[in-house]
């Protein structure tokens, strides 16, 4: 999966995890947890949905990399690319 595909997927997952969220309007380099006022449960729902859609194991130690659209897209793209 390339970065652009990852970004589209992440925005789709965010919209599902946080009903009413306008993922298209989120700044790519700002913490979306803050912007969307996500609590811990919302974020865990997002992580679980993202893991399910990508097939990636997302360990808690990697959560800080998954707080912005840019960081999340880079993370997913790097973990799903063919080596």
């Amino acid at each position: 999966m390339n970065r652009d595909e990852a970004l589209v997927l992440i925005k789709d997952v965010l919209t599902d995890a946080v009903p009413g969220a306008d993922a298209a309007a989120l700044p790519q380099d700002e913490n979306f947890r803050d912007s969307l006022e996500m609590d811990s449960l919302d974020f865990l729902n997002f992580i679980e949905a993202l893991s399910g859609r990508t097939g990636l194991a997302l360990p808690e130690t990697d959560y800080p990399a998954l707080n912005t659209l840019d960081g999340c897209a880079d993370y997913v793209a790097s973990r799903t690319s063919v080596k």
Side-chain angles (χ1 to χ4, degrees), residues 23-56:
L26 292 173
Q28 295 205 175
D29 61 346
E30 291 182 19
N31 187 320
F32 60 75
R33 289 180 72 178
D34 293 339
S35 298
L36 296 174
E37 299 179 359
M38 295 173 77
D39 61 24
S40 296
L41 185 57
D42 291 334
F43 187 69
L44 287 176
N45 288 337
F46 165 73
I47 293 295
E48 287 178 10
L50 184 62
S51 178
R53 297 272 300 267
T54 61
L56 296 173

Side-chain angles (χ1 to χ4, degrees), residues 1 54-59 62 66 73-83:
M1 175 179 305
T54 61
L56 296 173
L58 302 172
D62 292 348
L66 304 173
D74 290 340
Y75 181 91
V76 170
S78 72
R79 299 271 319 270
T80 58
S81 64
V82 177
K83 304 232 187 257

